[in-house]
Amino acid sequence: MRINKNIETIRNTIDDKMAKLGRQSEHITLVAVTKTHSVEAMETALKAGVSHFGENKVQEAIHKVPLLSVPYEGFHFIGHLQSNKINQLLSLKPYLIHSVDSTYIAQKLHLALGRTNRFQDILIQVNISEEATKSGVSFSNAIQCVEEISRYSTLCIRGLMTIGKLDKPEVSRPLFAKMKALFDEIKGLEIPNVNMDYLSMGMSHDYLIALEEGANMLRIGSAIFGQRAIGGNF
Ligand SMILES: *Cc1c(COP(=O)(O)O)cnc(C)c1O
């Protein structure tokens, strides 16, 4: 029941915020971040109407995703991807990989996809806070990276992803604003094979700030499922 209630509260909060921002018509995708949580908890969220969920570890996803008995629209991969986990990840048919953080991993994905004649939607992760512990291409390299990765014909770049500061939410506001400006700039470049549809930013503690700054895809874990006992690193 708690999960249902939390989802309802978050949805209402998002609707209120969008109405205040005058962006009622814009579609916001809520990705429930289910890492460390049970298959049962995931199914509760799916039954409550969240149709997108995200995991940050391939090893964990490969154990949980095939067990889901409730239909869903999208499994999102949001964690750092290692090349030796690519085939396992692709076997789960991810709807979107948020965390492409180098041309190296993009090339490895392209080769794996090419072997099976598949295509994959991805986001480019930008390390906007420039913290050494976080993955992502640097802000100054982002456009060049998007241009390079756009040449891999099996990959379709659908937008950008970032992680704000794990601090007071306001600390992330200028970073989120910078991401939105970058997103709009790349959109304006009209690079072939690049469709800037999604700006994935905002987590439990800072999603309202992210919405205010232009996010349209939110990744929310603990505000839905409660605090994680273990794991939860990026
Ligand atoms: C865990 C995680 C989230 C969700 O974090 P919460 O603070 O629990 O909402 C979002 N994005 C990524 C990349 C994560 O690893």
Side-chain angles (χ1 to χ4, degrees):
M1 258 342 269
R2 184 179 51 97
I3 292 173
N4 291 290
K5 189 94 201 70
N6 290 345
I7 290 171
E8 192 189 323
T9 306
I10 291 167
R11 286 230 186 269
N12 290 337
T13 311
I14 293 171
D15 288 348
D16 287 353
K17 176 56 77 183
M18 293 306 283
K20 283 204 188 88
L21 294 170
R23 284 164 51 196
Q24 302 94 317
S25 57
E26 191 179 327
H27 186 67
I28 305 294
T29 305
L30 171 60
V31 179
V33 176
T34 51
K35 65 189 186 199
T36 78
H37 296 291
S38 66
V39 172
E40 291 70 31
M42 295 167 79
E43 289 177 339
T44 303
L46 294 173
K47 283 184 195 148
V50 169
S51 50
H52 293 264
F53 68 94
E55 288 282 338
N56 73 332
K57 292 203 170 82
V58 176
Q59 307 94 291
E60 187 178 339
I62 202 89
H63 284 111
K64 297 196 305 191
V65 177
L67 296 178
L68 289 170
S69 62
V70 180
Y72 57 86
E73 210 169 309
F75 156 55
H76 295 238
F77 188 71
I78 62 174
H80 176 66
L81 181 57
Q82 290 165 302
S83 57
N84 62 352
K85 299 279 165 31
I86 284 177
N87 288 330
Q88 277 188 311
L89 176 61
L90 292 179
S91 76
L92 298 174
K93 303 214 160 28
Y95 178 90
L96 189 61
I97 300 175
H98 291 226
S99 42
V100 173
D101 55 12
S102 66
T103 50
Y104 170 79
I105 203 73
Q107 185 196 24
K108 293 284 183 188
L109 271 170
H110 174 65
L111 293 174
L113 290 157
R115 283 194 286 272
T116 50
N117 268 316
R118 281 172 57 186
F119 297 90
Q120 179 65 53
D121 283 349
I122 61 167
L123 305 181
I124 304 301
Q125 181 173 352
V126 180
N127 185 359
I128 196 75
S129 61
E130 316 230 303
E131 287 166 278
T133 53
K134 279 187 192 148
S135 315
V137 305
S138 71
F139 179 78
S140 51
N141 277 336
I143 292 178
Q144 197 193 331
C145 264
V146 167
E147 281 171 341
E148 282 173 22
I149 294 172
S150 74
R151 295 187 198 120
Y152 294 120
S153 56
T154 60
L155 299 176
C156 181
I157 298 177
R158 301 290 304 273
L160 303 176
M161 181 273 230
T162 201
I163 299 170
K165 288 255 199 185
L166 303 176
D167 204 320
K168 291 205 185 71
E170 280 298 335
V171 175
S172 292
R173 186 186 294 281
L175 302 175
F176 289 158
K178 239 174 126 176
M179 283 296 294
K180 178 62 163 69
L182 177 64
F183 180 84
D184 289 338
E185 184 180 351
I186 295 173
K187 194 183 244 181
L189 295 175
E190 298 185 7
I191 303 165
N193 201 27
V194 176
N195 296 311
M196 294 305 262
D197 298 315
Y198 302 123
L199 182 54
S200 167
M201 58 188 192
M203 312 186 348
S204 293
H205 70 296
D206 58 12
Y207 75 92
L208 287 178
I209 305 279
L211 276 180
E212 285 171 2
E213 298 304 326
N216 61 12
M217 188 172 264
L218 309 173
R219 309 178 309 268
I220 300 186
S222 48
I224 295 176
F225 300 101
Q227 288 303 322
R228 285 176 292 274
I230 43 149
N233 53 316
F234 305 106

